[in-house]
């Protein structure tokens, strides 16, 4: 593969080149990895500074409909929108989420939109790196807004929040006054909670749910990166395309404020450090998967199982031999 | 410290020597660590094969009362009982659980019992190793039964289950027919669920709760290490010392069966391997805490934050320099 050519075509905003480049960064093959690194270095600093929006919502809250309606609204304003997914559970089916494009049919046909399903990786660490690299590629290809969505399995919300400028939590209207079992940690990540399906028979319920979450958000500790009134809860109807423009106004206002106050830059720097540390940790642990290490580990495993060595003795011996 | 002398006194079942040895294994000081290793190697294979019982229960289920009543019943049979705790949250108070001995006042005065609060470690990995070493010391000191208790914060239940021969889950009677939010993963670890407080006004509720859990346990996948009827749910009253003997009978029957069928040995071997792997991982990551590594990490941190290097480039550079 001609990496210089691929680079130029990405900078010319060719979608097929972008898709091909993402396939390249998703590959686990060693030669592909080297090419991917070369490509990313060649593109670094190019393109525009996108707005990275993290979006979490469990199945059933209308996430696909929201992304489609919200994305169409943005492209109608002339913005280029990319949609990426972080979904460790998709690894189970051995590949990308089936129908990721069919569930956002209109948006996938939009020339200013680009939809990419989650890479198939059993390992969230691998998905995280590849998604961050896909974000960099989309930025180089001139996308203005990058939506990174997750269904919120395990640690995936943290992963998405650590690569986003702002984090949206999409929820469904809930009967009664109980909050929908949203974990406190997830609430604390959210910049804006969107209660979807504020339409038809559910409208009143959605408004009550929204008020409940607004109350819950007020109880959270104040964060320095929030202007007055944030984090906030709002109602939207993805189906009727209602409230989306108001939500977008809030997002742009929030980002303006954060950029002016220096929080945006500080957050990106902190995120870069987070991923640096994470890659070092993963890289260290990967040494255990080298063939020589695995062989030694198996030998020691047998000793430990037989009681000939204690776990600590075996660990010491293993660590001494790991370069 | 004279390690050979300490070793001999532990083998003579001197409690003060045992307490001192546990303090030694809990120390993070490098010279203490070397002494601890020497001591543990000197004791390996000595003493008796204890029954290691893991016990989890959230605050309020009557765990202390249960341990006291259950422990007193065992010591009355001539058995020597040690109680250890794995409680990562105790790190918050900077030390051991206040009143660990006062909350089990009778048992702590029993000559055949030994109670040791959780070591103060912010890091569950550290608590895990020290607790495993304390278990080994208690075995060398001739204890027949070792109760390892946890309040079940974070991963502590997994840690305890991975060092126990059998795992008890202590629960309180619950109103209504809803199960008490016990996570499926915890249910799957349990060999016996004990519904406590089956006395007075709560007796009927406890029996209903027990039946609910028995039903839930029947829905779990069958495990090869379970004889017919296990895992099972039973009611006990720690306060009235009722049902404890029946529970003990079930435990001994279960252990007999597992020993005969080879499951006991297989489980201990698998646990040793688990801890071997865990120590290798922790040992590898500890290399990042060496002074030279920390200095290099800080330099790269600054580069990453300034955008002069990508997280991946910095990670690569860091990993190349880590021996």
């Amino acid at each position: 593969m001609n990496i210089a050519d691929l680079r130029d075509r990405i900078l010319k905003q060719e979608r097929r080149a972008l898709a091909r480049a993402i396939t390249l960064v998703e590959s686990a093959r060693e030669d592909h990895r080297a090419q991917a690194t070369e490509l990313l270095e060649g593109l670094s600093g190019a393109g525009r500074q996108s707005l990275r929006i993290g979006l979490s919502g469990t199945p059933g809250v209308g996430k696909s409909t929201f992304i489609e309606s919200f994305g169409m609204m943005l492209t109608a304003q002339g913005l280029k929108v990319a949609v990426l997914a972080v979904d460790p559970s998709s690894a189970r089916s051995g590949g990308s989420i089936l129908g990721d494009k069919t569930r956002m049919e209109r948006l996938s046909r939009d020339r200013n939109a680009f939809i990419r399903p989650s890479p198939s990786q059993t390992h969230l660490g691998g998905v995280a790196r590849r998604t961050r690299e896909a974000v960099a590629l989309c930025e180089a290809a001139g996308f203005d807004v990058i939506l990174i969505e997750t269904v919120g399995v395990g640690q995936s919300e943290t992963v998405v929040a650590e690569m986003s400028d702002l984090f949206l939590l999409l929820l469904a209207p809930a009967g009664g006054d109980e909050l929908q079992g949203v974990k406190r940690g997830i609430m604390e990540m959210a910049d804006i909670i969107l209660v979807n399906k504020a339409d038809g028979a559910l409208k009143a319920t959605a408004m009550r749910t929204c008020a409940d979450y607004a109350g819950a958000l007020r109880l959270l500790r104040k964060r320095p990166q929030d202007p007055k009134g944030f984090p906030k809860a709002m109602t939207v109807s993805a189906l009727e395309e209602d409230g989306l423009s108001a939500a977008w106004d809030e997002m742009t206002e929030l980002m303006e404020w954060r950029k002016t106050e220096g929080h945006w830059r500080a957050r990106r720097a902190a995120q870069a450090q987070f991923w640096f540390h994470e890659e070092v940790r993963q890289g260290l642990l990967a040494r255990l998967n080298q063939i020589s290490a695995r062989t030694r580990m198996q030998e020691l495993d047998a000793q430990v199982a037989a009681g000939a060595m204690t776990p600590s003795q075996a660990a010491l011996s293993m660590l001494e031999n790991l370069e």
Side-chain angles (χ1 to χ4, degrees), chain A:
Chain A
M1 192 178 305
N2 186 332
I3 296 301
D5 178 55
L6 191 58
R7 173 181 173 280
D8 292 342
R9 286 168 54 211
I10 289 170
L11 291 176
K12 278 188 221 142
Q13 314 199 350
E14 283 185 28
R15 303 164 59 97
R16 283 184 53 197
L18 174 61
R20 202 165 158 200
I22 295 181
T23 303
L24 183 67
V25 301
E26 284 173 2
S27 169
R29 262 176 56 182
E30 222 166 286
D31 55 333
H32 287 171
R33 200 89 282 281
Q35 289 179 322
T37 304
E38 185 191 337
L39 177 64
L40 288 162
E41 282 175 13
L43 288 169
S44 104
R48 60 194 72 178
Q49 230 163 39
S50 313
L51 171 60
R52 305 173 187 167
I53 303 177
L55 173 68
S56 179
T58 46
V61 301
K63 193 149 42 85
S64 307
T65 314
F66 173 81
I67 294 173
E68 172 141 287
S69 298
F70 186 66
M72 296 293 289
M73 181 194 73
L74 296 178
T75 56
Q77 295 179 20
L79 295 168
K80 292 188 69 182
V81 177
V83 180
L84 305 172
V86 171
D87 178 13
S89 67
S90 73
R92 282 181 217 149
S93 58
S96 55
I97 305 168
L98 191 71
D100 230 345
K101 293 198 176 179
T102 50
R103 70 185 171 96
M104 291 179 262
E105 206 191 332
R106 283 188 304 152
L107 191 63
S108 68
R109 281 188 274 110
D110 191 319
R111 279 191 45 118
N112 281 323
F114 177 84
I115 299 175
R116 181 80 182 193
S118 182
S120 61
Q121 294 281 337
T122 44
H123 176 47
L124 193 54
V127 174
R129 182 160 85 174
R130 282 151 185 78
T131 307
R132 283 188 300 119
E133 291 173 347
V135 166
L137 292 170
C138 290
E139 291 194 338
F143 283 86
D144 303 285
V145 176
I146 302 175
L147 275 165
I148 312 159
E149 62 153 329
T150 179
V151 289
V153 176
Q155 293 296 306
S156 66
E157 265 134 344
T158 308
V159 165
V160 170
E162 284 294 344
M163 56 176 78
S164 305
D165 298 316
L166 66 86
F167 192 74
L168 305 179
L169 184 57
L170 197 68
L171 297 170
D177 58 356
E178 62 173 321
L179 306 181
Q180 298 157 60
V182 177
K183 290 191 211 103
R184 190 189 171 91
I186 310 300
M187 287 273 282
E188 285 172 344
M189 285 179 204
D191 294 303
I192 302 176
I193 286 179
L194 296 172
V195 181
N196 192 23
K197 303 190 183 179
D199 46 46
L202 282 173
K203 185 154 191 172
T205 313
M207 289 176 75
R208 269 201 310 275
T209 304
C210 181
D212 289 342
Y213 279 105
L217 286 174
R218 277 192 292 273
L219 297 178
L220 294 180
R221 198 168 6 156
K222 188 87 187 126
R223 305 177 303 180
Q225 69 269 33
D226 290 327
K228 200 168 177 308
F230 282 90
K232 66 173 59 181
M234 307 176 69
T235 56
V236 291
S237 164
L239 195 69
E240 300 188 346
E241 301 177 12
D242 193 28
L244 300 176
S245 164
W248 175 240
D249 288 345
E250 296 290 349
M251 292 180 218
T252 47
E253 189 192 300
L254 175 64
M255 290 321 295
E256 289 295 329
W257 187 85
R258 284 193 183 160
K259 283 194 175 179
T260 309
E261 300 290 321
H263 294 298
W264 178 83
R265 181 184 298 274
R267 180 168 172 147
R268 287 231 171 158
Q271 288 178 342
Q273 288 179 331
F274 174 89
W275 291 113
F276 163 43
H277 296 179
E278 196 55 28
E279 285 202 20
V280 170
R281 290 168 56 94
Q282 296 303 330
L284 262 183
L285 295 176
R287 292 185 183 177
L288 298 175
N289 280 325
Q290 288 159 354
I291 290 180
S292 60
R294 277 157 73 171
T295 308
R296 178 78 185 130
M297 199 92 174
Q298 280 162 7
E299 289 165 7
L300 290 168
D301 251 345
Q303 300 273 313
V304 167
M309 287 179 102
T310 68
S312 302
Q313 286 169 333
L316 218 60
S317 163
M318 187 71 208
L319 288 165
E320 273 165 8
N321 282 287
L322 274 174
E323 42 89 46

